[in-house]
Amino acid sequence: MCAGALANLCANALLKEELTRKGIVETLVGLLKRVSHPDVSAQVARGLANWVVGTDDLGIGRVLDEFATSGGLTTLLKLGGNREADLTVKKQVGTAIYHTLKAFPGMVKKQIDESENGIQPLLEMKKCAEKEVSLLAESCLNIYNSEMEGVVEAAAP
């Protein structure tokens, strides 16, 4: 119930700034580390997705810092790469990663590259029989790959 309540709070635009100040991402990640129940995983994924979607008004620096230092993306990648995760978790993970990649492609690409499994969780999600999950993963991979092309073009003489 607690994870669901936090996920609901994360969707409230009026509370996002205060939740960010109080470390909501770290709280959700910590909750997932302490409780391994599938319903908690689904609610944490929903909370992270709710927090990511529409955080533009908080300012890029604060959003990047909170998500990067609190393990938000790493947690999403682990949840998405879990083959036993239910579809609700995968949909929420796909939504959160997509919106984060869309808003902060360079930072997210770097975190994905530095993560334990790299893009493997996205590749696993792309194989999902659920079309929505598969399309979200494919969209994430397209953004990731376009960011790779930008890096290659920038490095060219």
Side-chain angles (χ1 to χ4, degrees), residues 12-24:
N12 186 325
L14 300 173
L15 296 176
K16 283 197 184 209
E17 190 166 344
E18 184 164 348
L19 290 171
T20 300
R21 244 191 338 267
K22 295 193 177 198
I24 189 64

Side-chain angles (χ1 to χ4, degrees), residues 9-97:
L9 289 172
C10 288
N12 186 325
L14 300 173
L15 296 176
K16 283 197 184 209
E17 190 166 344
E18 184 164 348
L19 290 171
T20 300
R21 244 191 338 267
K22 295 193 177 198
I24 189 64
V25 173
E26 190 172 89
T27 300
L28 289 167
V29 170
L31 183 59
L32 192 64
K33 287 178 182 174
R34 287 188 292 281
V35 182
S36 61
H37 192 278
D39 291 340
V40 173
S41 296
Q43 295 300 332
V44 167
R46 185 170 69 86
L48 290 171
N50 286 344
W51 184 81
V52 167
V53 175
T55 53
D56 299 340
D57 55 329
L58 296 178
I60 290 174
R62 190 186 283 158
V63 172
L64 287 174
D65 187 53
E66 175 75 8
F67 212 62
T69 60
S70 300
L73 184 64
T74 304
T75 298
L76 287 172
L77 289 168
K78 284 180 184 174
L79 286 171
N82 180 355
R83 289 185 179 156
E84 285 84 47
D86 70 15
L87 289 177
T88 303
V89 171
K90 291 186 182 218
K91 285 179 186 177
Q92 298 296 343
V93 166
T95 299
I97 292 175

Side-chain angles (χ1 to χ4, degrees), residues 65-143:
D65 187 53
E66 175 75 8
F67 212 62
T69 60
S70 300
L73 184 64
T74 304
T75 298
L76 287 172
L77 289 168
K78 284 180 184 174
L79 286 171
N82 180 355
R83 289 185 179 156
E84 285 84 47
D86 70 15
L87 289 177
T88 303
V89 171
K90 291 186 182 218
K91 285 179 186 177
Q92 298 296 343
V93 166
T95 299
I97 292 175
Y98 173 76
H99 283 281
T100 308
L101 257 170
K102 199 169 97 175
F104 319 113
M107 183 274 296
V108 175
K109 185 211 164 298
K110 182 179 179 206
Q111 282 193 357
I112 289 172
D113 291 344
E114 292 173 354
S115 71
E116 185 178 324
N117 296 319
I119 63 167
Q120 193 60 39
L122 291 172
L123 295 172
E124 289 294 325
M125 288 173 62
K126 187 177 176 188
K127 295 177 193 173
C128 183
E130 173 66 36
K131 190 166 180 82
E132 186 178 357
V133 172
S134 179
L135 287 173
L136 278 167
E138 186 174 344
S139 297
C140 291
L141 288 166
N142 288 338
I143 296 169

